[in-house]
Amino acid sequence: MRRAPPAALLVAALSAVAALAAAAAPAAAAPDPSRDVLWAALKTCVLAKRLANRTFPCLSVDLGDGDRPGSAVLRAPGEPTHSVVMPTDTVPGLEAPVLRGPRGAAYWRAALAARPLVSDVLKGRLTPAEVGLAVNSARGRSQDQLHIHLDCLKPSVLKAVRAHGRQVRHSWGRFPVPLAGDRYYALRVPEAEAAQFNPFAALHTLPGARPDLHRTSFAALATPPGDPEPGYILLAYRAPSASAEDVMDHSCRLAGARGGA
């Protein structure tokens, strides 16, 4: 499926920030400068953290250390629950070879740790465990800096996972039903293994003729309550413009149904 409209909204809303931080754009910038808006905003956050211990316009900035790569969290303008987690180093997308190593696992942990930044906005109407993660493919994304989407999940996706999640095993297998119109492979990640898990490396074992990560997208969510093996379910599929962000609901109807906008 084509990239979701909210991604375009994020680009438009951050254009002013890009103008302020244009000098910080990477040397190998893409021909289309609009694909570096997120990178420019990110560098503004990093500079503010280093010079003044402030994080604006980001929600949080971790500069990292010798053992942990830096990351930052930025909220999409006009979308109270939609946030993205990004490396503070240049990483174009999930196809980057560096993500197969420890950095990939570190960014996964950073995304899991950032889920309360979504659920806290909803003041008890959503738990961190109900916040999903998603990374779009090269043609399914609007930005050439890795960003892990965090937000509410579509009620239909949650319903399907509640109904069929127990069928997901420790190796890739077809999820029994389509999710948001696409057919996914699914993989179970036990809670005890989650801290060391690397979803980017796991994508290299996705069934298919060859591991074409430029056409691959993935999402992740916690196992439903009552699952006999708590942990996470990784969902992935390949398509020319694969966008696992489509399993998300940026309007967060689930929280609204629980009492409030």
Side-chain angles (χ1 to χ4, degrees), residues 12 16 23 26 32 53 77 89 103 117 120 129 157-158 168-169 182 228:
D32 180 359
N53 198 30
D89 294 329
R103 286 180 176 268
L117 293 175
D120 287 353
V157 171
L158 290 172
V168 177
R169 303 304 181 208
D182 293 304

Side-chain angles (χ1 to χ4, degrees), residues 220-249:
L221 70 161
T223 53
D227 191 287
E229 188 177 19
Y232 299 90
I233 292 176
L234 191 68
L235 301 163
Y237 79 108
R238 293 193 186 100
S241 299
S243 174
E245 186 187 353
D246 291 340
V247 303
M248 292 181 161
D249 175 16

Side-chain angles (χ1 to χ4, degrees), residues 142-233:
S142 64
Q143 297 293 290
D144 289 325
Q145 172 67 7
L146 175 69
H147 51 291
I148 304 173
H149 296 269
L150 302 177
D151 208 347
C152 305
L153 294 160
K154 289 180 177 176
S156 62
V157 171
L158 290 172
K159 181 179 179 180
V161 172
R162 284 194 299 268
H164 303 286
R166 295 190 183 196
Q167 300 178 44
V168 177
R169 303 304 181 208
H170 293 208
S171 58
W172 289 110
R174 279 289 189 186
F175 195 77
V177 298
L179 298 171
D182 293 304
R183 293 305 306 268
Y184 282 82
Y185 288 97
L187 175 71
R188 179 177 292 271
V189 183
E191 191 170 25
E193 301 173 13
Q196 301 305 318
F197 180 70
N198 185 341
F200 304 98
L203 294 176
H204 285 264
T205 65
L206 192 68
R210 58 191 178 91
D212 186 356
L213 295 189
H214 288 83
R215 300 175 66 251
T216 303
S217 183
F218 79 85
L221 70 161
T223 53
D227 191 287
E229 188 177 19
Y232 299 90
I233 292 176

